[in-house]
Amino acid sequence: RRAGESHGTRWESNGEGTYTLERVEDAPPGTSVTLHLKPVDTEDHLFDYTDEWKIREIVRRYSDFTPWPIRMEVERTKDGKTTRTTETLNSMKALWSRPQDEIGEDEYKEFYKHVSHDWTDPLETIHTRAEGTFEYQALLFIPSRAPYDLFMPGAKRGIQLYVKRVFIMDDCEALLPDYLRFVKGVVDAQDLSLNISRETLQQDRQIQLMRRRLVKKILSTVKTMMASDPERYRTFWREFGRVVKEGLLNDFDNRDAILQISSFASTHDAEKLTTLREYVERMKEGQQHIYYMTGESRSVIENSPHMEAFRDKGYEVLLLTDPVDEVWVSSVPEFDGKPLRSIAKGQVDLESEEDRGKAGAERDERRKEFAGLLDWMTETLKDQVKEVRLSSRLTTSPACIVGETGDLTPTLEKMYRAMGQDVPQVKRILEVNPTHPLVTGLRTAHEKGEDRAGLAETAELLYGMALLAEGGELPDPARFTRLLAERLTRAL
């Protein structure tokens, strides 16, 4: 019965979508709620909701942070004596709603462990609120170590959604993009409906606004960490760098911010990672590109023939070894106006303006000298490569394999096929070193017209050596081994 009225109203429903209202003349003041529970049915997961443990579980899950106490009368029997006590089941401690200057570091750590079920302390705490057209509070945490299921399909997110301190859902995917799935914490919105569903979350304007602001806040926090506490930043990047780089593929609005907080191995330092900003600051005079190479490991890249000219002339190269690096580099064209360029694709020209004229004339002369050999090798190896040409990137190796600028890398081809996608095999280019004795000897033998069948096998071996040098797989290892054994036997 409402205050000031002489009668009450009874609302009844069987829980199947309809209800009835009727007037009650002698109702007491206030409101009472009576629930009639269905019988326990373990097969249909209908629990006994009068069990003490179940009531405690529900209150702790959904109403632990509501500002009003939820009390339960508990009956205990000991030594034949029965006692009744009243317990408050909810903590009522919504830490995110309190001013930051009133919260101690220990309280943040305790709350993080409560919401994340992680026994370690968080690496970073982000406490923020927004006021204006819509209001929300957020208390987010960056863990100090990556969860075991970070890269597992279907792994749960760590953000809980509340509306006015009432729990709505775990694992709220709409609040943060997939590349920030490691972030834990709570977001409490003031203006959302209490019965909002996962389906409507995706289209809700307020949710989208919160998502954009939270992403920017997290990325700016990491950027501040990078500048003020490099050691903590290194821990962050070691644990979460691989997943953060996923954002370069699909979060176009924040791509620059992600690039600014990213670190990469490079030839500049064998131990310390470098940022793109630091790379640009160290670029040689006249250098126009940020050079990189992808591969399985640092040692594989450093020993690759593609590195020879860059090492010889002192150009720094980023060494990208994470699987995601194969994908994002093709969708990120530049940083700070400097194009990103793979040293394993396209032509390489590292000559200065002063040396370019002289080197150009020398290259033209060599092309004429090797034209017959290059045409013959292109025809001989036409099933493996699209072209054989002279290389300007090799100093000690006889040959290497490069791709066209827009071609898929072999590793990326494998990744797509492993995911069930049908991609055509990409033929690449074989570059030969015109100063290497093996290549000059092959040219001399070709000019003399000696044993073309034997020369064809030598060309095949040269291609196989280049393929192995970059960590590739031979199309016919048994044949390669047999040809190599025959050559070694003749040399004895």
Side-chain angles (χ1 to χ4, degrees):
R1 174 161 64 87
R2 182 184 301 177
E5 292 186 350
S6 59
H7 66 276
T9 304
R10 178 183 288 119
W11 179 96
E12 277 189 305
S13 174
N14 59 9
E16 296 180 356
T18 62
Y19 60 90
T20 61
L21 293 173
E22 65 175 301
R23 178 169 171 151
V24 181
E25 295 297 339
D26 55 351
T31 302
S32 63
V33 179
T34 304
L35 296 177
H36 300 273
L37 303 179
K38 294 180 179 180
V40 176
D41 187 340
T42 55
E43 291 186 1
D44 290 336
H45 301 284
L46 291 177
F47 304 98
D48 183 356
Y49 288 97
T50 63
D51 274 357
E52 180 183 327
W53 70 269
K54 193 64 181 176
I55 295 173
R56 290 179 183 275
E57 177 191 26
I58 292 171
V59 171
R60 183 168 180 81
R61 178 173 176 79
Y62 293 97
S63 302
D64 195 35
F65 303 116
T66 54
W68 304 282
I70 300 175
R71 300 188 178 97
M72 178 173 65
E73 188 177 89
V74 181
E75 187 177 280
R76 297 281 187 264
T77 301
K78 185 177 181 180
D79 300 330
K81 295 182 180 180
T82 300
T83 58
R84 292 183 177 181
T85 57
T86 300
E87 295 183 17
T88 300
L89 304 183
N90 57 328
S91 68
M92 299 179 287
K93 296 178 181 179
L95 203 64
W96 61 84
S97 64
R98 292 165 51 191
Q100 295 184 44
D101 56 6
E102 296 180 5
I103 305 173
E105 191 65 26
D106 290 340
E107 289 182 281
Y108 279 130
K109 292 177 180 178
E110 181 183 355
F111 185 82
Y112 165 74
K113 294 173 182 178
H114 172 71
V115 298
S116 68
H117 309 294
D118 184 7
W119 55 270
T120 60
D121 293 335
L123 183 68
E124 184 64 59
T125 300
I126 303 171
H127 192 169
T128 183
R129 67 172 61 231
E131 298 176 347
T133 54
F134 70 98
E135 297 182 7
Y136 69 86
Q137 294 107 24
L139 183 51
L140 307 178
F141 301 92
I142 298 176
S144 56
R145 59 191 179 96
Y148 71 92
D149 61 349
L150 184 61
F151 294 97
M152 292 183 180
K156 288 188 176 183
R157 308 291 185 87
I159 301 299
Q160 300 175 356
L161 175 63
Y162 287 76
V163 174
K164 297 178 181 177
R165 300 195 189 183
V166 176
F167 176 77
I168 302 300
M169 69 179 68
D170 259 331
D171 190 25
C172 188
E173 299 179 5
L175 284 171
L176 287 179
D178 198 48
Y179 71 91
L180 295 177
R181 58 185 177 272
F182 55 87
V183 176
K184 309 293 184 183
V186 301
V187 175
D188 188 359
Q190 303 302 306
D191 303 313
L192 290 178
S193 169
L194 285 170
N195 63 351
I196 193 167
S197 66
R198 289 187 181 272
E199 291 73 21
T200 57
L201 273 175
Q202 301 293 338
Q203 287 79 38
D204 190 273
R205 178 177 172 273
Q206 292 187 15
I207 289 289
Q208 295 306 312
L209 287 172
M210 281 192 288
R211 176 188 173 108
R212 286 197 288 270
R213 292 186 181 183
L214 291 174
V215 170
K216 291 185 182 300
K217 182 65 177 178
I218 293 169
L219 297 179
S220 66
T221 298
V222 174
K223 186 177 181 180
T224 300
M225 184 197 303
M226 174 188 282
S228 63
D229 196 335
E231 187 60 36
R232 275 200 308 151
Y233 165 76
R234 282 192 285 271
T235 299
F236 165 81
W237 193 252
R238 182 182 67 246
E239 297 294 325
F240 305 110
R242 283 177 59 192
V243 66
V244 169
K245 285 187 286 186
E246 293 175 11
L248 295 171
L249 298 173
N250 45 39
D251 191 352
F252 305 107
D253 292 338
N254 294 293
R255 177 176 285 172
D256 287 343
I258 297 173
L259 286 173
Q260 290 179 27
I261 66 168
S262 298
S263 294
F264 310 95
S266 87
T267 54
H268 176 72
D269 194 303
E271 302 292 335
K272 186 179 177 182
L273 301 182
T274 185
T275 65
L276 292 179
R277 175 65 58 202
E278 291 169 337
Y279 180 102
V280 170
E281 291 172 354
R282 290 193 297 264
M283 287 174 63
K284 295 170 69 71
E285 184 178 353
Q287 181 179 343
Q288 299 299 319
H289 299 88
I290 297 173
Y291 295 111
Y292 71 88
M293 184 174 176
T294 60
E296 292 184 1
S297 66
R298 182 184 186 112
S299 62
V300 168
I301 300 175
E302 286 183 325
N303 294 315
S304 168
H306 300 95
M307 290 289 298
E308 293 175 1
F310 292 87
R311 186 185 301 113
D312 187 54
K313 294 184 178 296
Y315 282 89
E316 182 177 355
V317 179
L318 300 178
L319 312 176
L320 309 180
T321 57
D322 289 334
V324 69
D325 293 332
E326 293 281 353
V327 188
W328 73 259
V329 289
S330 61
S331 61
V332 177
E334 54 90 23
F335 173 78
D336 197 27
K338 303 293 183 181
L340 274 70
R341 181 168 182 180
S342 170
I343 67 170
K345 290 184 178 182
Q347 296 275 14
V348 168
D349 184 6
L350 302 180
E351 301 291 343
S352 64
E353 289 292 339
E354 183 179 344
D355 298 334
R356 190 163 287 129
K358 179 182 177 181
E362 187 177 336
R363 279 197 296 268
D364 290 341
E365 184 64 28
R366 278 180 173 170
R367 286 194 191 99
K368 293 177 183 178
E369 294 175 0
F370 282 85
L373 175 66
L374 297 178
D375 291 341
W376 173 79
M377 289 185 69
T378 299
E379 177 63 25
T380 302
L381 299 173
K382 63 182 179 181
D383 292 337
Q384 289 83 30
V385 300
K386 65 170 66 173
E387 180 189 356
V388 181
R389 70 189 182 198
L390 295 183
S391 178
S392 59
R393 74 186 84 214
L394 297 175
T395 59
T396 58
S397 298
C400 69
I401 300 175
V402 301
E404 296 284 17
T405 302
D407 285 350
L408 292 178
T409 64
T411 303
L412 203 53
E413 281 188 58
K414 292 178 186 177
M415 289 172 59
Y416 283 139
R417 290 196 179 99
M419 293 186 293
Q421 299 188 30
D422 185 19
V423 294
Q425 184 174 1
V426 178
K427 286 186 180 181
R428 296 193 292 156
I429 299 166
L430 178 64
E431 287 191 353
V432 294
N433 183 355
T435 64
H436 195 279
L438 177 57
V439 178
T440 56
L442 190 60
R443 187 198 72 180
T444 302
H446 177 265
E447 289 176 347
K448 292 180 179 179
E450 300 175 353
D451 186 16
R452 287 300 170 89
L455 289 180
E457 291 179 350
T458 303
E460 188 177 342
L461 284 172
L462 190 63
Y463 167 74
M465 291 163 56
L467 196 59
L468 290 174
E470 71 167 9
E473 297 178 1
L474 294 169
D476 190 347
R479 175 176 171 79
F480 179 85
T481 304
R482 178 176 60 79
L483 293 177
L484 183 60
E486 291 174 359
R487 291 292 188 280
L488 292 174
T489 302
R490 293 175 194 173
L492 294 175

